[in-house]
Amino acid sequence: MTAPTLISQDISKSFTSGQITQQVIKHSSLQIYPGELTLVVGPSGSGKSTMLAMLSGLLRPDSGHVRALDTNLWALDDRTIDQFRLEHCGFIFQGFNLFGALSALENVMLPLQYLHLPAHTIRERAEDALAEVGLQQRMHLRPFQLSGGEKQRVAIARALVKNPRLMFADEPTSALDGANGQVVIDLLKRIARDHNATVLGVTHDPRLFSHADRVITLEDGIVVSDEHRSEFKAPIGDIIEHAHE
Ligand SMILES: Nc1ncnc2c1ncn2[C@@H]1O[C@H](COP(=O)(O)OP(=O)(O)O)[C@@H](O)[C@H]1O
Ligand SMILES: [Mg+2]
């Protein structure tokens, strides 16, 4: 039986500007599983990025808990949360966030340099990650020499190189055309399977929905549907059992 690796329990988040308080996420509880690509979808402003940020240790919920890899995430102090993200989480964003002065290979090597591994190990692992996204022939090029789709694949390799158990992607395809968007989504799905990683993405692009293993639809901060397509599903009782401290 596969247990969820990422669990939110009754999390809420509001933002206040001036006199107006907007409740962006409303008492949300979810269980996300390893080995599959889960997409949170919904219109712009529905709370997708806020949800992802709370599940990935980037934004503290107003109330509720997040259990990530059996750690009660928001009970940790900020430094320990940073450390948790460094060790266990890979991030992919809409804008690629690559260093323009560095080659694809150097961009991918960067996260490993913080882990004090031997130089040859860093290089081998970076080359492997780039091969996994199909860029072994292009690894010495710099971002300006790569297409948008290739740049996002470099960003995926950079997230993957630490072999993180959790991967988060916020609108990873919105700067790409349809074909490149599908390549990126299919890669994320394959990574989930091959590495037994928990891959959670958010997107407002309906063309990608059919490529995910599971699609959670968010409207005004509330989950309105949750469609699971993989073969394995944990029974609800088991999940709730697991969600309690
Ligand atoms: N830091 C913030 N300060 C104030 N309002 C915010 C902040 N982040 C998000 N919001 C508001 O919360 C709502 C949901 O935002 P977001 O989670 O980014 O939605 P999505 O990713 O689905 O487009 C929006 O109305 C947005 O303006
Ligand atoms: Mg967003």
Side-chain angles (χ1 to χ4, degrees), residues 83-176:
Q83 192 58 38
F84 181 91
R85 283 203 316 271
L86 200 64
E87 274 174 39
H88 300 296
C89 303
F91 289 90
I92 298 146
F93 297 102
Q94 171 177 350
F96 321 132
N97 301 0
L98 301 176
F99 287 98
L102 303 181
S103 69
L105 180 64
E106 289 163 338
N107 268 284
V108 175
M109 285 165 61
L110 217 46
L112 295 182
Q113 275 151 2
Y114 295 105
L115 300 178
H116 309 293
L117 300 169
H120 67 93
T121 307
I122 291 177
R123 191 180 165 112
E124 275 164 26
R125 282 178 59 178
E127 286 179 359
D128 288 348
L130 281 159
E132 199 168 336
V133 301
L135 287 178
Q136 61 273 57
Q137 307 299 330
R138 322 257 306 147
M139 64 184 178
H140 297 295
L141 300 181
R142 283 171 42 195
F144 78 92
Q145 297 168 302
L146 299 170
S147 71
E150 288 171 333
K151 279 188 270 211
Q152 193 59 301
R153 279 148 65 195
V154 174
I156 293 172
R158 183 184 52 187
L160 182 65
V161 76
K162 288 189 296 182
N163 202 18
R165 292 183 63 197
L166 306 173
M167 286 190 57
F168 298 94
D170 194 343
E171 304 279 4
T173 64
S174 50
L176 306 177

Side-chain angles (χ1 to χ4, degrees), residues 44-45 47-50 94 170-171 202 204:
S44 187
K48 302 183 298 296
S49 293
T50 303
Q94 171 177 350
D170 194 343
E171 304 279 4
V202 312
H204 68 273

